[in-house]
Amino acid sequence: MFMRNCWYVAAWSSEIVAGKLVPRTLLNEKVLLYRDSTGQIVAIEDRCCHRGAPLALGRLEGDCVRCMYHGLLFDPSGKCVDVPTQVTIPPSLKIKSYAVAEADSLIWIWMGNQENADPAAIPGFEYLSKPEWHGIPGYLHYNANYLLITDNLADLVHIAYVHTNTLGGSEEYAREHVQSPLQKSADGFSLTKWHHNSDLPPFAAKVNSTLKKVDRWNSVHLKAPAFFYLESGFGPVGQDLKKDRTGVLEFRNFQAMTPETDKTTHFFWVYMHQETDNVDAISASLHDSILEAFHEDMIFIEQQQRVLDDDPDFQLKAIAADAPLLHLRWLIEKNIKAETAPRAALVSA
Amino acid sequence: MFMRNCWYVAAWSSEIVAGKLVPRTLLNEKVLLYRDSTGQIVAIEDRCCHRGAPLALGRLEGDCVRCMYHGLLFDPSGKCVDVPTQVTIPPSLKIKSYAVAEADSLIWIWMGNQENADPAAIPGFEYLSKPEWHGIPGYLHYNANYLLITDNLADLVHIAYVHTNTLGGSEEYAREHVQSPLQKSADGFSLTKWHHNSDLPPFAAKVNSTLKKVDRWNSVHLKAPAFFYLESGFGPVGQDLKKDRTGVLEFRNFQAMTPETDKTTHFFWVYMHQETDNVDAISASLHDSILEAFHEDMIFIEQQQRVLDDDPDFQLKAIAADAPLLHLRWLIEKNIKAETAPRAALVSA
Amino acid sequence: MFMRNCWYVAAWSSEIVAGKLVPRTLLNEKVLLYRDSTGQIVAIEDRCCHRGAPLALGRLEGDCVRCMYHGLLFDPSGKCVDVPTQVTIPPSLKIKSYAVAEADSLIWIWMGNQENADPAAIPGFEYLSKPEWHGIPGYLHYNANYLLITDNLADLVHIAYVHTNTLGGSEEYAREHVQSPLQKSADGFSLTKWHHNSDLPPFAAKVNSTLKKVDRWNSVHLKAPAFFYLESGFGPVGQDLKKDRTGVLEFRNFQAMTPETDKTTHFFWVYMHQETDNVDAISASLHDSILEAFHEDMIFIEQQQRVLDDDPDFQLKAIAADAPLLHLRWLIEKNIKAETAPRAALVSA
């Protein structure tokens, strides 16, 4: 069960090249993405309603896609507009079509009730569209449910243990941090974590040779179902970093987890900086460093999936630091229940 | 569920070499094929009744097969005739034996009630045994239910889309064809499809340099559960090809689909010609061309199986051109129901 | 379902190297094996109670293991003794711990009620600890339920068919043997099989050039759930081998089958001799010969598992020679029933 009446990331804009049919499974549904003759994104069911053949094996004809098994042609609304062997086409010959939007270099898709799709509701992360922030779009495929990834992101303590040699610095980070209260919102939460007088972590030291000992902060924003925004910075020890950003090294990080199936996930990410010299080299260095760290996470997260698969009766036991992740899971559950509640129940409520 | 009281192709004759034990799963049952001391084909269960060991790991002793785990010996009727460690052999020590027949270079097997096996009921395709028709026996293994293959064969329109560059010629074939009415019979159907003034398709052009523009016909015969016979020809445009075969290039095609399991299929085929020069080269050229086309089909058919597996609730929607395939599926269903009906029902009917 | 209130072999002692965390699934449970700071073996659950991460990805700290996902630390009793982000640790934060013992170069583990674990109940095979017996510890992984392996060991007739060219000598072994009555005991059975005037089998001939024709015996001891002890010997034909061991070549064989899952098994084994010259070369020759034979068994045993998986309705049919294996299976079933019987039933019984 997934939240459906919301936007998910279907792809990076750059993945959907003009003239190409791109099949992608999203929330267990087979979707075909392509650009129409004007460059607008189209998302239709990747399954011919006639004999089930994938339309990804088909042919783009203007704005439409022809199934190359028996020749049925579908327009962007999913309507069948040509059957080579017959003249009349019954309206039942149609496939699903999905609302899509292109924003912030991302393709967004609405998998729920199509009449509710509202482009104004597309989650925004302002740094994605600001020209002074640079980064390389990234993609990873996880053999794990998307919630195991949001769990990971909701507790930054794991940085100290999983990412000691990449993102994390010392284990003191886990123990001596100063964490802001969890700021809950209607669709997620925010929290900020400070760590004072720590070493500049390895990934940051690769792109900055000035800072050594630093005060650092991470401001995490998690939104249901699965968006992670991070503002982080490293500055001279003792400087009032909340007010004075002189000599401060700052990064912005966006991660979107889109369920592929119940046990696999599309993971879209970018790690951004605002340096002005060596922009591409710094982008590449950060991309490589963060990718290394993500592979450290992936080992744990995919193993968790296997552990849960092997023993469905296994009950996780919460610790105090789980409050954020439990809040996000609770929010998602609440939304799913609201979406799937019978109408009568809604009326009486 | 499969039709069982009927003949299936178990192998090409040439596959069952004297002295060799050949294991093959047919209709979900493990069967062992071999030749007895006189060269007659034997088919017994490939599973020792004692501890389940495959008899394919055993040893041929005259007409019998010895299990090489604990030494039990089985005769061609499936009866155990030796247990090394005991003198008396209870009649319950036996395995299944199947009626088999060798005809038209094929090994035929009856998987249902053995007392009903009637060699006279073996489907015949006269060209298989005529010396003037030449071809190379072929085999393919499909990761798909056999009905997805018969579906494919029952609608020749797919030639225009799937096989444009191999068998098909132009997409006009799909639209401008002249099709005879579907001729239904007790065990299948026939239909003939004409296409006038078309290009000689690539596979035929490789073996014939005389014909360019042609009138072409395909006469399809499909028999339940899964036999396909095709008579096809290409002749000069405008010539009365039904009467005058001068300069006509003709082919005969046999295909037998035998279920291996619910989701895999043995596919036996041969494509025949009656040229008299360069016989072997033409046989080889046709074999290669058709194989290329079968691999085009296989992509669609195996993908269909995956699509159906991924969503068992998916409902196919028929078009007018599906009438033949729906007739064949209906026939097979009817036969399966008759085979599995309780006796009382049969009597009262 | 497995017997649980008994000892199983978890590993050879030499597999658990100081400083290393060794994950191993036993009876469907994920176990982590390591040595504490004094070299004592510890076995705890290989699954953090917090988020399910494998502790095998963790870090050994003295006698404890730290989960490297969020830093929880567990002591050898399974108690959580550190959570980096909180001061108070609720007693519910704990994982399983298993009784273990090291004896005869093996690590033994008790998977059932821990309060019942009794080191005195560890199955002993005296030759494992006698310095005059030499052999190389071996391990194999089987894709089969452990009972298919004990079945194999319970009927030595298979030696004649499966191991003709390795262990077995001739098929006369199967027919002309003299077998002692099955000696049943509370936890298994013993039996001795004699074969007179046979050829020294190939594996023995490789390490002994004196004997040609021999009288041979195999004394098998099988103990529930899955221990096999074999005493075997080869001596001059006609000599009273029960009394006079002059010129006799003797071997001792130990095999322990520990269920990994319902369909996979850890197989620990050693084949021992007491020669005094070329000790290591003879050990290596015997190891290689027996391994070759085990691979002959493995083909049958893993195929049996597949046959049973493919058709859960398949019923094995017993022959007279199955009496020993049926006795062992009956014993195991009886023990499992006793272990899983509700307490009330036990009281009323």
Side-chain angles (χ1 to χ4, degrees):
Chain A
M1 295 287 282
F2 302 112
M3 281 174 58
R4 297 183 62 84
N5 286 326
C6 61
W7 293 97
Y8 285 95
V9 173
W12 283 104
S13 285
S14 55
E15 292 184 275
I16 313 304
V17 176
K20 289 288 174 191
L21 300 171
V22 179
R24 183 157 284 174
T25 297
L26 302 169
L27 284 70
N28 290 320
E29 296 186 12
K30 294 176 195 304
V31 176
L32 187 70
L33 298 159
Y34 64 95
R35 292 185 187 276
D36 69 15
S37 54
T38 69
Q40 291 294 301
I41 291 288
V42 177
I44 55 175
E45 192 177 354
D46 184 23
R47 187 171 71 176
C48 181
C49 60
H50 172 219
R51 305 299 297 168
L55 294 177
L57 296 175
R59 183 172 67 197
L60 188 57
E61 295 186 5
D63 295 351
C64 299
V65 176
R66 188 178 298 280
C67 177
M68 288 302 278
Y69 199 1
H70 301 95
L72 279 68
L73 186 72
F74 297 93
D75 76 9
S77 76
K79 186 181 165 191
C80 180
V81 292
D82 183 32
V83 180
T85 45
Q86 69 193 63
V87 176
T88 309
I89 302 171
S92 65
L93 281 183
K94 65 180 178 195
I95 57 176
K96 269 196 193 178
S97 171
Y98 301 88
V100 280
E102 194 162 6
D104 294 337
S105 304
L106 292 161
I107 309 295
W108 298 86
I109 191 166
W110 183 276
M111 303 294 293
N113 294 330
Q114 294 301 307
E115 60 267 34
N116 298 342
D118 176 10
I122 293 174
F125 184 48
E126 57 181 322
Y127 306 97
L128 283 170
S129 52
K130 284 190 178 171
E132 66 270 28
W133 285 95
H134 315 290
I136 300 172
Y139 172 87
L140 285 172
H141 182 269
Y142 266 86
N143 288 313
N145 182 276
Y146 76 105
L147 290 173
L148 295 175
I149 310 176
T150 52
D151 286 352
N152 170 282
L153 295 166
D155 184 356
L156 296 188
V157 167
H158 85 271
I159 294 176
Y161 296 97
V162 178
H163 306 307
T164 311
N165 301 314
T166 49
L167 308 185
S170 73
E171 290 178 27
E172 292 149 18
Y173 179 82
R175 295 183 193 274
E176 297 175 14
H177 68 283
V178 180
Q179 189 164 311
S180 67
L182 185 64
Q183 292 178 286
K184 298 180 183 179
S185 66
D187 65 350
F189 69 83
S190 300
L191 62 77
T192 299
K193 196 170 167 112
W194 282 88
H195 187 50
H196 296 289
N197 195 28
S198 78
D199 294 323
L200 189 68
F203 84 97
K206 283 185 190 166
V207 300
N208 181 298
S209 57
T210 313
L211 293 164
K212 302 295 173 193
K213 282 285 176 183
V214 292
D215 287 349
R216 64 185 290 189
W217 77 89
N218 280 319
S219 284
V220 167
H221 309 276
L222 260 159
K223 285 190 186 176
F227 302 103
F228 174 83
Y229 310 90
L230 176 74
E231 296 155 308
S232 60
F234 304 83
V237 174
Q239 183 173 318
D240 184 356
L241 299 177
K242 288 174 191 171
K243 292 179 182 162
D244 177 6
R245 298 283 173 105
T246 315
V248 166
L249 181 64
E250 293 197 56
F251 300 116
R252 298 295 178 267
N253 180 203
F254 168 76
Q255 299 173 34
M257 283 63 69
T258 305
E260 181 182 52
T261 67
D262 295 341
K263 295 185 180 178
T264 57
T265 302
H266 301 291
F267 180 80
F268 304 94
W269 68 280
V270 63
Y271 204 88
M272 291 174 287
H273 68 95
Q274 52 182 355
E275 302 304 301
T276 50
D277 294 334
N278 298 318
V279 171
D280 289 352
I282 290 173
S283 295
S285 174
L286 289 170
H287 183 92
D288 290 355
S289 292
I290 303 306
L291 189 58
E292 189 185 352
F294 284 164
H295 282 137
E296 291 171 334
D297 285 322
M298 188 181 272
I299 290 170
F300 278 92
I301 290 168
E302 295 194 342
Q303 285 282 359
Q304 277 184 294
Q305 183 67 52
R306 277 179 225 131
V307 163
L308 295 170
D309 286 347
D310 284 351
D311 182 2
D313 295 332
F314 176 51
Q315 296 290 327
L316 302 172
K317 286 176 189 160
I319 61 174
D322 292 341
L325 78 85
L326 293 174
H327 175 67
L328 191 75
R329 281 182 170 248
W330 172 82
L331 254 182
I332 293 170
E333 273 305 305
K334 194 182 71 161
N335 286 334
I336 292 172
K337 274 184 194 153
E339 284 188 14
T340 54
R343 183 134 190 177
L346 287 177
V347 169
S348 70
Chain B
M1 296 287 282
F2 302 112
M3 281 175 58
R4 299 183 60 84
N5 287 327
C6 61
W7 293 97
Y8 285 96
V9 173
W12 284 104
S13 286
S14 55
E15 292 184 275
I16 314 303
V17 177
K20 289 288 174 191
L21 300 172
V22 179
R24 184 156 284 175
T25 296
L26 302 169
L27 285 70
N28 291 320
E29 296 186 13
K30 294 175 196 304
V31 176
L32 186 71
L33 298 159
Y34 65 95
R35 292 186 187 276
D36 70 13
S37 54
T38 70
Q40 292 294 302
I41 291 287
V42 177
I44 55 174
E45 191 177 354
D46 183 23
R47 187 172 69 175
C48 181
C49 59
H50 172 218
R51 305 298 299 169
L55 294 177
L57 297 175
R59 184 172 66 196
L60 188 56
E61 295 186 6
D63 295 350
C64 299
V65 176
R66 186 177 300 278
C67 177
M68 287 303 277
Y69 199 179
H70 301 95
L72 279 68
L73 186 73
F74 298 92
D75 76 10
S77 76
K79 185 180 166 194
C80 180
V81 293
D82 183 31
V83 181
T85 45
Q86 69 192 62
V87 176
T88 309
I89 302 171
S92 65
L93 281 182
K94 65 179 178 195
I95 57 176
K96 270 195 192 178
S97 171
Y98 301 88
V100 280
E102 195 162 4
D104 294 337
S105 304
L106 291 161
I107 308 296
W108 298 85
I109 191 166
W110 184 277
M111 302 294 293
N113 294 329
Q114 294 302 307
E115 60 267 36
N116 298 343
D118 175 11
I122 293 174
F125 185 48
E126 57 182 320
Y127 306 97
L128 283 170
S129 51
K130 286 190 177 170
E132 66 270 29
W133 286 95
H134 315 290
I136 300 172
Y139 172 87
L140 284 173
H141 183 269
Y142 266 86
N143 288 314
N145 181 277
Y146 76 105
L147 290 173
L148 294 176
I149 310 175
T150 53
D151 286 352
N152 170 283
L153 296 166
D155 185 355
L156 295 188
V157 167
H158 84 272
I159 292 176
Y161 296 98
V162 179
H163 307 305
T164 312
N165 301 315
T166 49
L167 308 185
S170 74
E171 290 178 29
E172 293 149 19
Y173 179 82
R175 295 182 192 275
E176 298 175 15
H177 68 282
V178 179
Q179 188 165 312
S180 67
L182 185 64
Q183 292 178 287
K184 298 180 183 181
S185 66
D187 64 350
F189 69 84
S190 299
L191 61 79
T192 297
K193 195 168 166 110
W194 281 89
H195 187 50
H196 296 288
N197 195 26
S198 78
D199 294 323
L200 190 67
F203 84 98
K206 283 186 191 166
V207 300
N208 183 297
S209 56
T210 312
L211 293 164
K212 304 294 175 193
K213 282 284 175 184
V214 291
D215 287 347
R216 64 185 290 191
W217 78 89
N218 281 318
S219 284
V220 166
H221 310 275
L222 259 159
K223 286 190 186 175
F227 304 102
F228 174 83
Y229 310 90
L230 176 73
E231 296 154 308
S232 60
F234 305 83
V237 174
Q239 182 173 318
D240 183 357
L241 299 178
K242 288 174 190 169
K243 293 180 182 161
D244 177 5
R245 298 284 174 105
T246 314
V248 166
L249 181 64
E250 293 199 56
F251 301 116
R252 297 295 179 266
N253 181 202
F254 169 76
Q255 300 173 34
M257 284 62 68
T258 305
E260 181 183 52
T261 67
D262 295 340
K263 296 184 181 178
T264 57
T265 302
H266 302 289
F267 181 80
F268 305 94
W269 67 280
V270 64
Y271 204 88
M272 291 174 288
H273 68 96
Q274 53 182 353
E275 302 304 300
T276 50
D277 292 334
N278 298 319
V279 171
D280 290 350
I282 291 174
S283 295
S285 174
L286 290 170
H287 182 92
D288 291 354
S289 292
I290 304 305
L291 188 58
E292 189 185 352
F294 285 164
H295 283 137
E296 291 172 333
D297 285 322
M298 188 180 273
I299 290 170
F300 277 92
I301 290 168
E302 295 194 343
Q303 284 282 359
Q304 276 184 296
Q305 182 67 53
R306 276 179 225 132
V307 163
L308 296 170
D309 286 346
D310 283 351
D311 182 0
D313 295 333
F314 177 51
Q315 295 290 329
L316 302 172
K317 286 175 188 160
I319 62 175
D322 293 340
L325 78 85
L326 293 175
H327 175 66
L328 191 75
R329 280 182 172 248
W330 171 82
L331 254 182
I332 293 170
E333 273 306 304
K334 194 182 71 160
N335 285 334
I336 292 173
K337 274 184 194 152
E339 284 188 14
T340 54
R343 184 132 188 179
L346 287 176
V347 169
S348 71
Chain C
M1 295 288 281
F2 302 112
M3 280 175 58
R4 298 184 60 85
N5 287 326
C6 61
W7 293 97
Y8 284 96
V9 173
W12 284 105
S13 286
S14 56
E15 292 185 273
I16 314 302
V17 176
K20 289 287 176 192
L21 300 171
V22 180
R24 184 157 283 175
T25 296
L26 302 169
L27 284 71
N28 290 320
E29 297 185 13
K30 293 175 196 303
V31 177
L32 186 71
L33 298 160
Y34 64 95
R35 292 186 187 276
D36 70 14
S37 54
T38 69
Q40 292 293 302
I41 291 288
V42 178
I44 56 175
E45 191 177 354
D46 184 23
R47 186 172 71 175
C48 182
C49 59
H50 173 218
R51 306 297 300 168
L55 294 177
L57 297 175
R59 183 172 68 196
L60 188 57
E61 296 185 5
D63 294 352
C64 299
V65 176
R66 187 177 300 279
C67 177
M68 288 302 278
Y69 199 0
H70 300 96
L72 279 69
L73 185 73
F74 297 93
D75 76 9
S77 76
K79 186 180 164 193
C80 179
V81 293
D82 183 32
V83 180
T85 45
Q86 69 192 62
V87 176
T88 309
I89 302 170
S92 65
L93 281 183
K94 66 179 178 195
I95 56 176
K96 269 197 194 179
S97 171
Y98 301 88
V100 279
E102 194 162 5
D104 295 337
S105 304
L106 292 161
I107 309 295
W108 298 84
I109 191 165
W110 183 275
M111 301 295 292
N113 294 329
Q114 293 302 308
E115 59 268 32
N116 298 343
D118 175 10
I122 293 174
F125 185 48
E126 57 182 322
Y127 306 98
L128 283 170
S129 51
K130 284 190 179 173
E132 67 269 28
W133 286 94
H134 315 289
I136 299 172
Y139 172 88
L140 284 173
H141 182 269
Y142 266 87
N143 288 314
N145 182 276
Y146 76 104
L147 289 172
L148 294 175
I149 310 175
T150 53
D151 286 353
N152 170 283
L153 295 167
D155 185 354
L156 295 188
V157 166
H158 85 272
I159 293 176
Y161 296 98
V162 178
H163 306 304
T164 312
N165 301 315
T166 49
L167 309 184
S170 74
E171 291 178 27
E172 292 150 18
Y173 179 81
R175 295 182 191 275
E176 297 175 14
H177 69 282
V178 179
Q179 188 165 313
S180 67
L182 184 64
Q183 292 178 286
K184 299 180 182 179
S185 65
D187 64 350
F189 69 83
S190 298
L191 61 78
T192 298
K193 196 168 167 114
W194 281 88
H195 187 50
H196 296 288
N197 194 27
S198 77
D199 293 324
L200 189 67
F203 83 98
K206 282 187 192 166
V207 299
N208 182 297
S209 58
T210 311
L211 293 163
K212 303 295 174 193
K213 282 283 176 184
V214 292
D215 287 348
R216 64 184 290 190
W217 78 90
N218 280 319
S219 285
V220 167
H221 310 275
L222 260 159
K223 285 190 186 175
F227 304 102
F228 174 82
Y229 310 89
L230 176 73
E231 296 155 307
S232 61
F234 305 84
V237 173
Q239 183 174 317
D240 183 356
L241 297 178
K242 287 174 190 170
K243 292 181 183 162
D244 177 6
R245 298 283 173 104
T246 314
V248 166
L249 181 64
E250 294 198 55
F251 300 116
R252 299 295 179 266
N253 181 202
F254 169 77
Q255 299 174 33
M257 284 62 69
T258 305
E260 181 183 50
T261 67
D262 294 341
K263 295 185 180 178
T264 57
T265 302
H266 301 290
F267 181 79
F268 304 94
W269 67 281
V270 63
Y271 205 87
M272 290 174 287
H273 68 95
Q274 53 183 354
E275 302 304 298
T276 50
D277 293 335
N278 298 319
V279 171
D280 289 351
I282 291 173
S283 295
S285 174
L286 290 170
H287 182 92
D288 290 355
S289 292
I290 303 305
L291 188 58
E292 189 184 352
F294 284 164
H295 283 137
E296 290 171 334
D297 286 322
M298 188 181 272
I299 290 170
F300 278 92
I301 290 169
E302 295 194 343
Q303 286 281 359
Q304 277 184 294
Q305 181 67 53
R306 275 179 226 133
V307 163
L308 295 171
D309 286 346
D310 283 351
D311 183 0
D313 295 332
F314 176 51
Q315 296 290 327
L316 303 172
K317 285 177 189 161
I319 61 174
D322 292 340
L325 78 85
L326 293 174
H327 175 66
L328 191 74
R329 280 181 171 249
W330 172 83
L331 254 182
I332 293 171
E333 272 304 306
K334 194 181 71 161
N335 285 334
I336 292 173
K337 274 184 193 152
E339 284 187 15
T340 54
R343 182 130 190 182
L346 287 177
V347 169
S348 70

